[in-house]
Amino acid sequence: MAVIPPEVGQRSRDWDDQNLDLTAAAGQVSDSGTGGFTPTVRTAAKTFRTAWHGHLTTLATDAESQADGLRETMTDWLNTDQSADVQQRSLIDPYVQEIR
Amino acid sequence: MRHRALVAILTLWAVLLAACGTETGEEDGMDDARRTLEHQRTDVRRVAADLAPSMAAAVGGTVTFLTGQWSGCDSVFPQGHRNFRYGVRGRIDATTPGAAGLDAVVASWREAGLQVEQPAPESSAPGQGGTRSGPLTRSAEEGGVQVSVTAYADQEFLLIGFQGPCVDVPRSQREEWEQRKEGEPDVRLTR
Amino acid sequence: MTEIRLPTEPVKLPEFDCDPALIEGFAADLLAASAQVDDLGTFVAGSARVPTWIGSDADQYRTGITALGTRADAMSLALRGVSQRVSLHATRMTTYETTYSDLKERRLQLSIAIAEVKGLAATATEDQVAEIQGKCDTLNTRSVEFNTDASDFVTDVSEEESAMVAAFGEMQTRDQVMKRYEGVPDPADGALASKPGPDASPSAVNAWWEGLTEEQRQAIIAASPGSIGNLDGIPAADRDAANTVALNRDLAALRLLEERGVLTDSEKEHLVNAEAAEKGLENIREQVDPVTGEPILAQLYIYDPLAFDGDGRVAIAAGDIDTADNVSVVVPGLTNDGGSIPGQATNAADIYTAARYDDPSQTNATLAWMGYDAPDSVPWEGDGQGGWDFAGVVKEDMAERGGERLADTVDGIRAIREGDQPHLTAVGHSYGSTTTGHAATDHGLDVDDIVLVGSPGPGDAAEHATDLGVGSDHVWVGTNSLDPVGGLGDKGWINKGNIELGLGRDPAEDDFGAIRFQAEATDRGTSLDPFDDHSKYFDPNTESLHNIAEIINGHYDDVTRAEHKYDPWYDSPRDPEVWRYPTAPKTEP
């Protein structure tokens, strides 16, 4: 089985951060006030806001899936490839747990 | 060495200040300050609403905006301000601007029974050679509210102001008053 | 009896209720979200690919994220496009608001006039008919014109509303987004590729920026705000737009982490600095220009919340740096973290107001510049209780480094005002005056006037006002006679000042050769805290603020001069200002 470099562990954290940032962006869009528009436009703005909250949440979920996928790959590697040396394993080990 | 002596005195001063119970009566003071300032806002808005139209009429003009806001008076940096006041500002686009407009407004104040203050004395500073026609201001007092008008030789408008006296607020309230906002709009008689 | 033809009645105007500022806020939120999505695209195209990882798992991972990156790029462009359309909508609605207001006023005047003329017509005698008919005809013409304008207004608003609704509708679903933007290159990418290197002069940066298309500029602001937000040579309005995107994005992301209780210590500092910047902008916008009654324009000129080990680097302007007749840069002494920017912003707004009040015919901008790393502790600002904080001897090293940054900032302003130079004034307070001094003596600070207030000294390289490079008649000093910090500087060969706390010569002394202006406060010496007299220089209705406003406006003859301090060989230094009765000139309506 191919060796997994420690950068993969760091990228899993980066994907977690992307998830958080995109979740924040989704919240920012859904919380944005539409009260400034005239009634004619307000309805369309609300519909747009709802749709984009969905798109951004999906992107956030996809980012989280990437993080989870990398963690799964790292866990598999640690569990199955016993030939890897201790140092390589110790570099990956801290990343298999999700921090946030 | 003289500065070292000054430093020692000032340090002692600061220690005494800390020991003298800076929080004494803080609870009572909080309510008093809030009450006083909120009353002040009511008074200032009332005086502004009463007087702005007659001031505008005196110079054949219209009040183009009138907006109220809280402001700090004396800094205690970096903690913001020690005291606050409420003020309303506005502008009169006048057919009689400049010094003549100023006189007309002052006459209207006298007619309304306001106590008109004497113009501020010239500074006694040396090297004073003002040649420009800077702002001309006059002030009066109405029910504890300072009313002012400012005119310019080269502008077709007068600036008007109404403000209450500075009120000390307890240290724990400074942040609140720094950030205090009013509902929108504050005071808008005309637009 | 001849019949009088009465004028047409003006039509009733429909309700028109909108708030362009809120619409602009909606656009800003979309833009910040678009920047976040753009980051995802950049991440996927760059570091997320992990080239050092090889094997089938790695290949599968990279294939998967490529599709995600393509979608992110398209969605970012779509959101940006809608944001820009919403921003345009806000601009147009602002215009329509003014039109509506004018129409309402015209209708009111017409209605009054028509009612009057109807009254006259009802009681007219035969010999009055011709005159009244004339009035009716004039009013009829005005009324018909009004009705045409009202109809045009309704049509214009309706068309704009339809266009905005269509723009929302055309970019609603993922299919719509991908159909329109999949594979479309971001205009920002090509433009950034031609960006001058890090050592480029502000003039070179300005030339690059001006050479871009409007579309490219807007793309960079949205997609890569960090690349130009703090770059000298970029116009202030564009820096503000970019930094606002970055600030909004930071606030949304960090507040979510705070809500979830997972903020790290450095993120906590980051959030404190971001919220301080937000508050600083609010502090300025809450104040109204005394002449126009409009909220004062605020510009986020520097936003670098992670600089200086988390202390942050922030600068906020009250007024428009790109166009103001007079630009002043205020250099504070206490900048140990970006959290103090709200107070500095309030000072900037007070200075702006004082300058506008002093001379409404000139436009102004005042920049609260916290662009350097100041000491975490200086003795007169250390303990917050008014006591000296003996953290150690005050050094000039941070002022020296800060001086270079200040000179760079001023060079940036000069570059963006090429061909339309403002009157530029640097105002240094406290340790900031030492920083200003070093900017002048070490880096040729390119300003017209230098103002030093509450100064412990302008640095060891300034023996005389002429050393500051602007001419001694353009070096201005304000020192409250009871300000303990103002007495720290060196007075000459007999009185060496406080060698541990002073930072060069006392600039208020006669031998220094600057112009001293009046800066006493009417309540000087009345506080239990003697350091209060060190922090009143920017307070409204003070001699100091009034004189600073006069200098900023270039009204040198109207600055009220003060007698210098002097140091007789036989005794301690004297300050004649102690004996003068302070005044309180108005600096605001």
Side-chain angles (χ1 to χ4, degrees):
Chain A
M1 198 168 182
V3 171
I4 295 188
E7 286 89 342
V8 172
Q10 186 52 53
R11 290 303 86 79
S12 69
R13 298 269 164 88
D14 293 343
W15 279 112
D16 283 332
D17 286 344
Q18 287 290 337
N19 163 254
L20 288 166
D21 289 347
L22 290 161
T23 304
Q28 190 173 22
V29 169
S30 66
D31 292 347
S32 193
T34 55
F37 294 103
T38 54
T40 312
V41 181
R42 200 174 301 150
T43 309
K46 281 182 181 170
T47 310
F48 179 84
R49 192 176 64 174
T50 307
W52 274 85
H53 176 255
H55 298 326
L56 296 171
T57 303
T58 304
L59 279 178
T61 308
D62 291 348
E64 182 63 16
S65 300
Q66 293 299 333
D68 291 342
L70 290 180
R71 273 190 287 271
E72 208 173 299
T73 305
M74 288 186 287
T75 306
D76 284 351
W77 180 68
L78 287 172
N79 289 339
T80 57
D81 191 352
Q82 301 300 326
S83 64
D85 69 28
V86 174
Q87 194 185 356
Q88 281 173 327
R89 297 173 66 85
S90 67
L91 288 172
I92 289 295
D93 200 50
Y95 291 113
V96 296
Q97 285 299 319
E98 182 176 353
I99 293 178
R100 62 182 193 185
Chain B
M1 293 308 288
R2 281 186 297 270
H3 282 102
R4 288 184 189 286
L6 174 64
V7 168
I9 292 167
L10 292 171
T11 307
L12 180 63
W13 199 346
V15 169
L16 285 172
L17 172 67
C20 277
T22 50
E23 303 301 318
T24 309
E26 182 97 335
E27 288 290 319
D28 294 341
M30 280 167 69
D31 285 345
D32 286 350
R34 186 171 286 121
R35 209 175 300 129
T36 306
L37 279 166
E38 279 168 1
H39 279 153
Q40 182 183 108
R41 177 184 56 193
T42 308
D43 291 345
V44 170
R45 286 180 169 185
R46 179 181 49 74
V47 170
D50 286 351
L51 287 179
S54 61
M55 289 161 73
V59 290
T62 51
V63 181
T64 50
F65 67 86
L66 207 54
T67 309
Q69 62 188 30
W70 298 99
S71 58
C73 303
D74 299 319
S75 297
V76 278
F77 194 80
Q79 298 171 324
H81 295 86
R82 181 200 310 131
N83 40 26
F84 293 84
R85 60 167 58 167
Y86 186 78
V88 168
R89 290 176 186 170
R91 190 177 88 176
I92 296 173
D93 290 334
T95 51
T96 313
L102 198 73
D103 291 343
V105 170
V106 171
S108 79
W109 286 347
R110 290 211 165 94
E111 219 166 87
L114 270 66
Q115 288 184 314
V116 180
E117 293 166 14
Q118 288 305 309
E122 290 296 314
S123 170
S124 58
Q128 184 68 23
T131 52
R132 185 179 61 96
S133 300
L136 307 163
T137 67
R138 293 298 300 270
S139 303
E141 201 258 1
E142 166 67 1
V145 175
Q146 191 196 45
V147 184
S148 69
V149 60
T150 303
Y152 302 86
D154 55 352
Q155 301 291 340
E156 296 296 309
F157 57 78
L158 305 169
L159 299 181
I160 57 175
F162 307 84
Q163 60 186 12
C166 299
V167 176
D168 283 359
V169 302
R171 189 183 293 259
S172 60
Q173 255 188 34
R174 282 177 187 164
E175 174 114 14
E176 175 196 334
W177 286 100
E178 290 290 347
Q179 302 199 6
R180 181 143 180 168
K181 289 178 215 157
E182 297 302 298
E184 185 68 30
D186 287 344
V187 175
R188 286 182 196 274
L189 298 181
T190 58
R191 190 183 160 89
Chain C
M1 179 79 181
T2 311
E3 195 176 318
I4 296 175
R5 293 180 309 281
L6 292 173
T8 308
E9 291 287 340
V11 293
K12 200 175 172 210
L13 288 167
E15 286 294 314
F16 180 67
D17 184 21
C18 72
D19 186 336
L22 286 181
I23 298 173
E24 198 59 71
F26 190 83
D29 284 336
L30 297 189
L31 200 60
S34 128
Q36 199 69 69
V37 179
D38 189 85
D39 274 3
L40 173 62
T42 306
F43 172 61
V44 169
S47 64
R49 304 194 73 77
V50 202
T52 53
W53 184 25
I54 51 175
S56 58
D57 284 349
D59 292 342
Q60 197 181 341
Y61 161 76
R62 278 190 279 271
T63 306
I65 65 171
T66 300
L68 179 56
T70 305
R71 177 151 50 97
D73 287 341
M75 297 199 114
S76 163
L77 287 174
L79 207 46
R80 187 195 303 169
V82 176
S83 163
Q84 286 167 350
R85 183 61 188 84
V86 173
S87 189
L88 176 67
H89 183 64
T91 306
R92 289 187 176 163
M93 292 318 249
T94 304
T95 309
Y96 293 141
E97 253 195 338
T98 308
T99 309
Y100 185 68
S101 182
D102 291 346
L103 284 171
K104 266 173 80 173
E105 183 65 28
R106 276 171 66 190
R107 186 177 189 279
L108 180 68
Q109 300 299 338
L110 264 172
S111 300
I112 292 169
I114 290 172
E116 274 175 12
V117 84
K118 275 183 174 172
L120 290 174
T123 57
T125 57
E126 190 62 40
D127 55 348
Q128 292 173 319
V129 165
E131 186 190 347
I132 294 172
Q133 186 61 61
K135 285 181 178 174
C136 284
D137 291 346
T138 306
L139 281 173
N140 190 59
T141 306
R142 281 173 57 195
S143 206
V144 169
E145 278 172 10
F146 171 83
N147 288 348
T148 307
D149 291 347
S151 170
D152 289 348
F153 167 77
V154 171
T155 308
D156 291 348
V157 170
S158 173
E159 280 176 4
E160 172 55 24
E161 285 179 330
S162 301
M164 188 67 253
V165 168
F168 279 134
E170 285 161 8
M171 223 40 73
Q172 202 113 279
T173 66
R174 192 201 285 199
D175 285 348
Q176 287 173 319
V177 170
M178 298 309 284
K179 200 171 172 188
R180 169 73 182 79
Y181 286 109
E182 185 174 6
V184 172
D186 188 336
D189 296 340
L192 282 170
S194 63
K195 185 183 158 192
D199 295 329
S201 69
S203 298
V205 169
N206 187 254
W208 163 70
W209 187 252
E210 296 301 331
L212 300 179
T213 63
E214 182 62 19
E215 186 194 21
Q216 286 174 316
R217 285 197 286 260
Q218 291 307 318
I220 291 175
I221 287 168
S224 183
S227 65
I228 56 125
N230 303 317
L231 189 59
D232 291 325
I234 302 291
D238 296 325
R239 287 173 71 142
D240 173 62
N243 288 331
T244 301
V245 171
L247 173 64
N248 288 340
R249 193 179 54 182
D250 284 357
L251 287 170
L254 293 164
R255 281 173 178 158
L256 177 77
L257 297 178
E258 187 182 39
E259 258 175 50
R260 295 187 176 186
V262 292
L263 271 180
T264 62
D265 285 347
S266 70
E267 285 167 346
K268 276 180 194 159
E269 272 185 307
H270 187 168
L271 180 57
V272 165
N273 290 341
E275 290 188 328
E278 182 186 42
K279 181 76 186 73
L281 292 164
E282 275 175 22
N283 282 3
I284 291 172
R285 290 178 184 134
E286 277 166 17
Q287 294 201 37
V288 294
D289 181 298
V291 179
T292 64
E294 297 296 324
I296 298 175
L297 177 78
Q299 291 178 326
L300 187 52
Y301 194 70
I302 297 176
Y303 175 66
D304 187 2
L306 298 173
F308 309 135
D309 292 330
D311 282 353
R313 192 164 74 98
V314 179
I316 299 180
D320 188 350
I321 291 178
D322 290 330
T323 61
D325 297 329
N326 305 296
V327 175
S328 50
V329 181
V330 182
V331 186
L334 182 75
T335 56
N336 55 5
D337 61 52
S340 59
I341 194 71
Q344 305 290 353
T346 300
N347 285 343
D350 287 340
I351 294 170
Y352 172 94
T353 298
R356 290 282 287 152
Y357 177 75
D358 176 64
D359 187 352
S361 68
Q362 300 201 38
T363 54
N364 280 271
T366 300
L367 181 65
W369 184 82
M370 304 193 56
Y372 77 116
D373 192 15
D376 284 341
S377 169
V378 283
W380 52 89
E381 288 162 344
D383 68 0
Q385 304 295 316
W388 297 84
D389 175 5
F390 292 96
V393 175
V394 183
K395 293 179 182 168
E396 295 187 31
D397 54 340
M398 292 177 132
E400 288 165 14
R401 286 196 292 274
E404 185 175 4
R405 287 180 174 276
L406 174 61
D408 286 347
T409 296
V410 168
D411 287 345
I413 294 171
R414 289 289 189 205
I416 59 180
R417 297 295 300 271
E418 189 70 47
D420 174 33
Q421 290 296 335
H423 172 241
L424 242 161
T425 305
V427 183
H429 174 235
S430 195
Y431 190 85
S433 71
T434 315
T435 304
T436 306
H438 274 288
T441 56
D442 309 353
H443 303 285
L445 182 67
D446 189 10
V447 294
D448 301 297
D449 286 277
I450 290 176
V451 178
L452 309 172
V453 288
S455 177
D460 56 13
E463 277 294 308
H464 190 272
T466 51
D467 295 333
L468 296 177
V470 291
S472 59
D473 53 346
H474 290 278
V475 179
W476 309 83
V477 177
T479 302
N480 179 321
S481 60
L482 296 186
D483 173 0
V485 179
L488 295 173
D490 181 358
K491 306 292 186 302
W493 68 280
I494 294 285
N495 187 320
K496 298 306 290 180
N498 189 308
I499 58 169
E500 289 187 349
L501 302 177
L503 295 163
R505 297 287 304 235
D506 182 343
E509 204 217 10
D510 52 359
D511 285 348
F512 186 72
I515 301 170
R516 185 181 184 191
F517 60 83
Q518 295 182 349
E520 302 295 308
T522 52
D523 62 347
R524 64 181 176 185
T526 56
S527 169
L528 286 170
D529 182 348
F531 289 91
D532 278 3
D533 279 313
H534 181 56
S535 59
K536 292 176 179 165
Y537 294 101
F538 304 124
D539 283 0
N541 304 317
T542 56
E543 293 175 349
S544 174
L545 184 60
H546 166 74
N547 283 320
I548 290 170
E550 296 283 19
I551 296 163
I552 286 172
N553 284 338
H555 300 317
Y556 304 131
D557 288 343
D558 295 302
V559 178
T560 54
R561 269 75 163 168
E563 286 187 43
H564 291 98
K565 294 183 193 175
Y566 61 98
D567 187 18
W569 62 270
Y570 53 85
D571 202 357
S572 56
R574 306 284 177 82
D575 187 347
E577 280 291 276
V578 172
W579 307 109
R580 187 177 60 78
Y581 189 76
T583 58
K586 278 181 83 64
T587 62
E588 60 186 15

